[in-house]
Amino acid sequence: MPGLGLLLVTSLMWGLNWPFVKYLLTALPPFSIRAASGLIGTALVLGIALARRESLRPPAGQWGRLCLAAGLNVSAWMALTTLSLLWLRASETTILAYTLPIWSALLAWPLLGERPTAARVFGLLLGLAGVGLLVAHGAPGEADPWAKLPGVAFALAAAMLFALGTVLAKRAPVAMPPTALVAWQTGLGLLPLLVLWMLLERPDFTGLDTRSWLALIYGGALAFGLAYVTWFAALRRLPASVATIGSLLAPVVGVVASAMLLGEPLGLREVGALALTLGGVALAAFAR
């Protein structure tokens, strides 16, 4: 089935990017990584939109919605998740970032009038239990697990703000073709990151080794660019519930890839936190 194939490819591209970004942080400062990869991804998505002859003109009166979506779903998400990796392992950031369906379910109550059910509240508690397991019990060799709290705060803030952007987009969507919309969101969302890059950081791209360049190009062209195109293509072919369930493959891929590529621990703590978080996400997203 084309839709399921597109969904699988999307989840793999997103999941693999977490250890790559963590690796890049050893060579580049955070905003430089996201701004550079974002430029690559935006150029690719723009090229695809032009090849499809999609209209790039935003509808009149919807610039505010477009800028807000870009700020929440691109600027905040990319900046905060990358900052969280300065304190957390890639596997930990992955798990925390994918609590976003839980926050979407909660925000849908005041913003969309979708009252949370008892099952969704239980899902929230399960997800928070997974977060607590990551924070309160450090992995072997961690002297002070509480020192990672800034990273936890950044990752959860990223998930909450992305969830807010998702709910607001459902309440007042921007009427544009999907690829053109992604191009505008990524382009506008990159502007704050570019400013922070130029004001705060002095990256040395000439000193990058081959692995770092490959990770940077992968993050831009595939995880940031092509993955959004395949995601929207999957959404057009699959029910939203199936697409959301399938996207939960991404944190599983992220945790396993972080263990394989970076040597991060993959024990009962990580597996338990992942199981609790994904169980809570599934209940929050799909329970009636």
Side-chain angles (χ1 to χ4, degrees):
M1 298 174 64
L4 291 176
L6 289 165
L7 184 60
L8 176 61
V9 169
T10 304
S11 296
L12 287 173
M13 287 191 289
W14 279 343
L16 283 172
N17 196 46
W18 293 101
F20 289 164
V21 175
K22 180 69 174 180
Y23 176 76
L24 280 170
L25 283 170
T26 63
L28 291 172
F31 299 122
S32 302
I33 295 171
R34 289 304 202 180
S37 62
L39 286 172
I40 297 171
T42 299
L44 177 63
V45 175
L46 181 60
I48 294 173
L50 291 172
R52 291 179 171 179
R53 297 184 178 180
E54 294 184 358
S55 173
L56 295 174
R57 185 182 180 88
Q62 296 197 7
W63 275 101
R65 298 180 191 177
L66 188 56
C67 291
L68 182 61
L72 294 173
N73 294 336
V74 178
S75 302
W77 174 261
M78 294 182 72
L80 294 175
T81 54
T82 306
L83 287 173
S84 75
L85 287 167
L86 296 175
W87 285 271
L88 302 178
R89 294 185 171 94
S91 57
E92 294 170 330
T93 295
T94 305
I95 293 171
L96 295 173
Y98 278 89
T99 60
L100 65 91
I102 297 176
W103 312 117
S104 295
L106 289 180
L107 290 169
W109 183 9
L111 296 176
L112 301 178
E114 298 177 5
R115 188 179 182 88
T117 62
R120 284 182 172 174
V121 173
F122 183 62
L124 171 64
L125 296 177
L126 275 182
L128 292 178
V131 173
L133 183 58
L134 282 179
V135 177
H137 298 283
E142 286 182 348
D144 182 14
W146 295 103
K148 65 176 64 175
L149 281 179
V152 173
F154 280 128
L156 290 179
M160 292 176 187
L161 291 174
F162 194 98
L164 176 61
T166 301
V167 173
L168 291 177
K170 184 175 180 180
R171 181 178 180 180
V174 178
M176 287 187 70
T179 310
L181 177 59
V182 172
W184 269 108
Q185 286 194 43
T186 55
L188 290 172
L190 277 175
L191 294 179
L193 300 177
L194 289 170
V195 172
L196 291 170
W197 172 12
M198 291 184 288
L199 290 179
L200 302 178
E201 299 175 349
R202 295 293 183 270
D204 180 17
F205 288 98
T206 61
L208 295 182
D209 58 19
T210 302
R211 290 182 180 180
S212 297
W213 274 114
L214 290 174
L216 190 64
I217 294 170
Y218 175 92
L222 298 182
F224 190 84
L226 189 59
Y228 278 103
V229 177
T230 56
W231 168 248
F232 283 110
L235 284 179
R236 290 196 298 271
R237 292 167 172 82
L238 297 171
S241 59
V242 175
T244 306
I245 292 173
S247 70
L248 296 182
L249 289 171
V252 177
V253 172
V255 170
V256 174
S258 298
M260 295 177 63
L261 298 176
L262 302 178
E264 294 188 357
L266 183 58
L268 291 177
R269 169 181 171 270
E270 290 75 23
V271 173
L274 183 63
L276 286 170
T277 303
L278 295 189
V281 166
L283 278 174
F286 312 116
R288 301 294 182 184

